[in-house]
Amino acid sequence: MSDISLFIALPIGMAFFIPIVSRNIKWFPDIAGNFTTFVLMLLSLLTINQEIVYNVGNWKPPFGIVLVLDGFSCLVLIIVNLIGFFSTLFSVEYIEKMFTSKLRYYSLFLLMLAGMNGVVLTGDLFNLFVFLEIASVASYALVGFGCEARELEASFKYLVMSSIASTFILLAVALIYGRFGTLNMAHVSLMVQKYGMDNVIKFSAVLLFCGLAVKAALVPFHAWLPDAHPSAPAPISAMLSGVVIKALGVYVIARITYNIFEMDTMISSMFIILGIVSMMIGVLMALGQWDFKRLLAYHSISQMGYIILGLGLGTPLGILGGIFHLFNHSLFKSLLFLNSGSVEYETGTRNLEKLGCLSRRMPVTSFSSLVASLSISGIPPFNGFWSKLIIILAAIQAGRPFSALWAVIGSILTLASFTKVQRYVFFGHGKHFKLESLPQIKEVPNLMQMSMILLAILCTVTGVLALGGPNGIFGPVIDVLTGGPSAYILKVLGKQ
Amino acid sequence: MRINEETGMSLIVKTVSRWLKGFVFLFGMYLTFYGHLTPGGGFSGGVVIACTFVLLTLAFGKERALGKLGKTLSSVLDCSGALLFLLIALAGIFISGVFFENFIEKNYPGKVFHLFSAGIIPLCNIAIAIKVGASLFMVFIILAVRRVIEVDGKRKLISTEFFDMPERKVK
Amino acid sequence: MIYSLCFILFIIGLYGATCKKNIVKIILGLLIMEYSVNLFLILLGWRKNGVAPIIDSQTDMKTFVAHSVDPLPQALVLTSIVIGLGVLSLMVAISIRLYQRYGTFDITEMKKLKH
């Protein structure tokens, strides 16, 4: 597999091919969408342990655009395409019942996937901005997909905040170009090594970080997330919360801080403080919610705090914890959102006070929801336990015991919040629950069950991936980040 | 109930635009085809091509413009413009191994400053012009073509929906 | 000096996008912000006594390289303007449908999403 431009070309091609054919053939969007995401998932699994620097158009860097595939982008690529496949598998039946326009849904979904693949693979700053905008615009349209009043309001709020963030990012790229005269990421880091960071570059680094923090939903830039995630259709919520805020937010922040600018103690402390604040505010606000998906959205904010805390610690064990938690969180959070989609498919509501007693009528949904809730709370042997344990151990090892304390408190509050969800939805009932609505509820159709079961199996099994510590399976990923700017420059530009 | 409809503009505007629409379209094509030699290129050529149809809509009303370029045809042109661009880029993989490579220039180099030079760039310009022209015309028609109905002194905006709006089935 | 005028335009757009209550004014604020960054990007390529970066059969290459304006920001801005156009059309479509649903363009009236 040496042609990584297929990751971008294939979804774009299929996204524009679907509207031509589907005017007459009604079943084409489902088959085409699922086939494309399946092929992309297989291709992404083939890229493990490869390091490719691909010159688009055969122009050498820094004149042309490069696509870089190393350990870190391989991991995020696998996450993006895997969750994309499970989302399209789920949405075959879901969109059929709940929305009217299928071909537009699949076109926008494939465009969003192409944009995210592009962000992960690119090695050029302006190309990053273009793919960021492609993925963001597709997600604005998908958030307000059923055109009800609340969804459009949430979509407009998301649009305004995210557009301001994109403009900040473009201004930062313009300042970097004005100072250094180049846009290639490795070349920029070479120049930063040679000339140091003067005021213009510090200002543009701050602008970049603020813009990307809005995309990654860190506190205090998180205000769009609790409105946008519940209003989207359930597979899109799973994609947004499981993949988009990671590929567009955390991946680019980590790439820019570790591989382009120098990671020093000030940035590290800032990450740790932001991580702890996100953790606590997310969990505390989630405890008082009565809407299922809004609760899950606040938990997304808090788990992103864990990831940023792990990345900010700077030691190899800390980076391992952060990256493993990124992998795990996308698995169990998308499973939770797909569960809430199943519950809404059958009962028609998301309000915790009106739901109840679903564990007897919907066994697959309740079992996978139990698995996902135990994972996110950090109960052994599921994968959430291992990643949170590694983060806590790394915090103690790095000499910051208070961070470890806050992480433990956050974990306990997460457990409390999900006990509430399980009690009100599956094993007990809410205050306004009507018992006579129960016999009409049956289990969701087969394809939706299959995607949930597969995700639950992955949640259980992937706990073992962290065996071996920083030298195990995630070794190449950690080497990319701890190698710093010099390793990145050597890989992309050759010897300088 | 009084219905306000767009019936077009006066006779002078209609006559002049009937003469001018061919020249505007020709100017758009000139910007596209000579985009690798003079300023212009795919985007600006596409915008001017869309302006032809916008001129038709403003001067004559929407039926005339939609008779020339209906909604199905513009949607198909939009997608096939993007697909043509992607196929040209993918052809680079099959012919010389790298995505988006200028394979025509490497194998059959043209004379400099002539119309048939610079490899795949004129072909990409044409694909982009088709896509941008069709897209902008569709955006203009969907956003701007409406009917205003006055009911008892309160004005309500009713839209003539050209594509079915995506909606929730189960509210 | 000119760059600071671009930043003033950016601040005006940021003020419009965050402090105004009418949806149309918010959209205009976002647009002004985006165009100010495009203007800044083009102005980066300016050179004193510069010529436009177009070659025809009579140009002398040495004087051209010494005098021409930087063409790369112009290509970047072309892409950025088209991206801005795409986002603008989506914003306008959403605001038209918001008016159909709520009956007003005032964002303080749109409070159906609970806390």
Side-chain angles (χ1 to χ4, degrees):
Chain A
M1 171 74 210
S2 69
D3 210 344
I4 51 179
S5 58
L6 279 181
F7 281 109
I8 307 171
L10 192 59
I12 287 187
M14 202 51 86
F16 285 113
F17 188 58
I18 287 180
I20 300 183
V21 179
S22 321
R23 300 214 170 264
N24 304 324
I25 309 177
K26 290 295 172 195
W27 44 264
F28 188 72
D30 283 326
I31 307 269
N34 285 313
F35 176 68
T36 315
T37 47
F38 183 65
V39 167
L40 280 174
M41 181 179 79
L42 289 181
L43 285 179
S44 69
L45 286 173
L46 284 178
T47 61
I48 299 183
N49 273 336
Q50 288 190 23
E51 271 201 10
I52 303 175
V53 175
Y54 191 85
N55 301 326
V56 174
N58 224 358
W59 294 99
K60 295 221 170 307
F63 299 114
I65 296 179
V66 277
L67 299 176
V68 177
L69 179 81
D70 52 7
F72 191 27
S73 43
C74 169
L75 178 75
V76 183
L77 208 62
I78 292 179
I79 294 175
V80 167
N81 294 318
L82 194 71
I83 306 291
F85 174 58
F86 287 129
S87 287
T88 44
L89 208 57
F90 189 84
S91 56
V92 172
E93 299 284 340
Y94 188 82
I95 305 293
E96 184 64 50
K97 180 174 176 189
M98 315 246 334
F99 294 94
T100 52
S101 174
K102 223 183 222 195
L103 67 92
R104 262 175 240 145
Y105 172 81
Y106 277 108
S107 288
L108 285 169
F109 189 93
L110 286 174
L111 269 179
M112 190 168 77
L113 202 60
M116 279 192 287
N117 279 341
V119 165
V120 168
L121 282 175
T122 185
D124 185 83
L125 279 173
F126 192 74
N127 206 13
L128 176 80
F129 170 71
V130 171
F131 280 122
L132 200 75
E133 283 290 287
I134 292 178
S136 297
V137 171
S139 66
Y140 306 152
L142 278 173
V143 163
F145 192 65
C147 294
E148 299 291 312
R150 293 182 200 186
E151 305 181 10
L152 289 173
E153 178 191 339
S155 171
F156 193 74
K157 195 193 265 196
Y158 174 31
L159 197 157
V160 169
M161 287 190 71
S162 201
S163 273
I164 297 180
S166 294
T167 315
F168 275 15
I169 295 176
L170 183 61
L171 185 62
V173 169
L175 282 170
I176 291 179
Y177 178 71
R179 176 73 181 90
F180 287 143
T182 176
L183 284 170
N184 196 2
M185 280 191 203
H187 210 94
V188 165
S189 91
L190 186 69
M191 300 255 189
V192 165
Q193 303 263 311
K194 243 196 274 185
Y195 296 116
M197 307 239 305
D198 53 344
N199 288 334
V200 174
I201 298 300
K202 281 187 191 168
F203 179 55
S204 77
V206 169
L207 275 180
L208 259 179
F209 181 72
C210 285
L212 290 168
V214 173
K215 304 272 186 194
L218 301 172
V219 174
F221 305 104
H222 70 287
W224 57 272
L225 195 139
D227 290 323
H229 280 52
S231 314
I236 298 297
S237 289
M239 281 293 280
L240 272 179
S241 187
V243 177
V244 170
I245 54 179
K246 296 188 185 55
L248 298 187
V250 176
Y251 169 80
V252 185
I253 288 179
R255 181 66 84 185
I256 285 181
T257 341
Y258 276 96
N259 284 121
I260 299 186
F261 303 117
E262 231 10 284
M263 176 80 167
D264 53 357
T265 49
M266 191 173 66
I267 300 184
S268 169
S269 330
M270 189 173 70
F271 275 13
I272 292 178
I273 294 179
L274 274 180
I276 296 176
V277 169
S278 294
M279 250 195 274
M280 297 317 293
I281 290 190
V283 162
L284 289 173
M285 299 230 36
L287 280 174
Q289 297 294 322
W290 289 103
D291 184 352
F292 195 179
K293 282 169 103 171
R294 212 175 157 98
L295 188 142
L296 294 177
Y298 274 114
H299 276 294
S300 276
I301 299 178
S302 113
Q303 302 294 314
M304 295 305 281
Y306 274 96
I307 299 175
I308 293 288
L309 173 68
L311 280 177
L313 285 172
T315 63
L317 199 63
I319 297 178
L320 172 69
I323 299 227
F324 194 38
H325 199 71
L326 188 139
F327 182 64
N328 291 336
H329 176 249
S330 62
L331 287 176
F332 49 68
K333 187 46 73 71
S334 54
L335 178 57
L336 280 170
F337 270 110
L338 293 182
N339 282 330
S340 79
S342 303
V343 167
E344 193 178 355
Y345 184 91
E346 285 297 332
T347 60
T349 177
R350 296 193 310 245
N351 197 353
L352 286 179
E353 294 179 342
K354 294 193 183 144
L355 292 167
C357 296
L358 285 176
S359 71
R360 278 169 274 153
R361 310 293 301 179
M362 306 172 73
V364 171
T365 310
S366 70
F367 177 68
S368 51
S369 163
L370 188 65
V371 166
S373 304
L374 290 177
S375 290
I376 195 174
S377 318
I379 309 287
F382 297 108
N383 52 5
F385 168 70
W386 302 109
S387 57
K388 287 193 182 183
L389 183 69
I390 293 178
I391 292 181
I392 293 174
L393 284 179
I396 297 179
Q397 187 195 53
R400 297 177 182 269
F402 284 110
S403 315
L405 186 65
W406 286 116
V408 173
I409 294 178
S411 197
I412 296 177
L413 290 174
T414 314
L415 178 63
S417 172
F418 274 96
T419 319
K420 163 179 164 181
V421 166
Q422 292 288 315
R423 181 227 187 259
Y424 277 116
V425 178
F426 291 109
F427 294 107
H429 57 86
K431 265 192 295 192
H432 302 298
F433 173 62
K434 296 190 183 41
L435 199 56
E436 58 266 7
S437 65
L438 200 51
Q440 307 149 343
I441 299 179
K442 48 186 182 12
E443 188 54 79
V444 290
N446 284 329
L447 277 176
M448 292 159 79
Q449 284 185 33
M450 196 159 75
S451 57
M452 287 195 286
I453 293 175
L454 284 172
L455 271 175
I457 293 177
L458 277 178
C459 274
T460 327
V461 161
T462 49
V464 300
L465 280 183
L467 280 180
N471 299 322
I473 291 190
F474 286 114
V477 183
I478 302 178
D479 287 336
V480 164
L481 287 178
T482 51
S486 35
Y488 189 70
I489 297 172
L490 199 63
K491 183 181 352 175
V492 176
L493 292 178
K495 285 209 163 296
Q496 288 284 338
Chain B
M1 217 160 62
R2 201 163 32 98
I3 303 181
N4 275 337
E5 256 187 359
E6 187 73 56
T7 53
M9 296 193 169
S10 66
L11 187 61
I12 299 180
V13 177
K14 281 187 186 171
T15 318
V16 172
S17 68
R18 197 179 295 141
W19 292 340
L20 275 184
K21 64 181 193 258
F23 288 110
V24 176
F25 193 74
L26 188 64
F27 182 60
M29 290 213 296
Y30 162 75
L31 281 178
T32 315
F33 282 123
Y34 279 81
H36 54 290
L37 298 169
T38 52
F43 292 130
S44 28
V47 167
V48 174
I49 287 179
C51 278
T52 332
F53 296 102
V54 170
L55 179 66
L56 270 185
T57 316
L58 288 177
F60 291 100
K62 66 177 191 291
E63 293 88 8
R64 181 89 176 250
L66 286 176
K68 297 237 189 267
L69 184 72
K71 50 178 178 159
T72 332
L73 182 61
S74 59
S75 165
V76 168
L77 272 182
D78 180 9
C79 296
S80 44
L83 274 181
L84 187 62
F85 187 85
L86 200 66
L87 280 174
I88 295 176
L90 280 178
I93 299 186
F94 293 125
I95 297 188
S96 48
V98 182
F99 185 68
F100 214 175
E101 177 163 12
N102 205 341
F103 52 91
I104 303 183
E105 184 68 15
K106 296 275 166 68
N107 297 331
Y108 309 102
K111 289 188 279 236
V112 205
F113 305 129
H114 281 233
L115 185 56
F116 294 108
S117 58
I120 59 172
I121 297 182
L123 300 174
C124 287
N125 275 339
I126 296 174
I128 292 176
I130 294 176
K131 175 168 179 49
V132 171
S135 285
L136 278 184
F137 177 60
M138 268 208 311
V139 164
F140 174 75
I141 283 288
I142 291 176
L143 289 181
V145 174
R146 311 210 154 244
R147 204 186 293 170
V148 176
I149 299 185
E150 268 199 31
V151 180
D152 303 331
K154 270 198 331 186
R155 296 179 56 179
K156 282 174 67 92
L157 267 180
I158 309 281
S159 72
T160 61
E161 297 285 351
F162 281 171
F163 292 101
D164 40 348
M165 205 163 81
E167 271 179 345
R168 274 189 181 253
K169 275 185 199 167
V170 178
K171 301 223 193 262
Chain C
M1 172 58 195
I2 279 217
Y3 298 149
S4 52
L5 291 179
C6 282
F7 279 116
I8 292 179
L9 207 59
F10 186 78
I11 299 289
I12 292 176
L14 190 61
Y15 166 73
T18 51
C19 300
K20 291 290 183 185
K21 294 193 180 51
N22 198 348
I23 283 189
V24 183
K25 292 186 186 171
I26 293 179
I27 293 179
L28 284 174
L30 279 175
L31 221 56
I32 291 178
M33 239 169 59
E34 227 165 319
Y35 285 162
S36 78
V37 178
N38 291 341
L39 185 65
F40 176 65
L41 201 45
I42 292 189
L43 283 176
L44 282 177
W46 184 72
R47 207 181 223 173
K48 206 166 174 184
N49 301 328
V51 293
I54 306 173
I55 308 180
D56 53 2
S57 38
Q58 281 111 19
T59 43
D60 175 26
M61 288 308 286
K62 286 201 185 42
T63 53
F64 179 74
V65 170
H67 278 287
S68 85
V69 185
D70 196 357
L72 181 64
Q74 301 184 1
L76 301 180
V77 165
L78 201 56
T79 313
S80 177
I81 288 179
V82 176
I83 292 177
L85 172 75
V87 179
L88 170 69
S89 55
L90 183 64
M91 280 197 277
V92 170
I94 289 183
S95 68
I96 288 181
R97 294 208 198 278
L98 271 177
Y99 185 77
Q100 281 177 350
R101 299 277 184 250
Y102 282 99
T104 174
F105 270 134
D106 195 357
I107 56 170
T108 53
E109 313 257 331
M110 302 179 184
K111 283 193 283 211
K112 281 199 183 160
L113 284 170
K114 285 198 309 278
H115 192 58

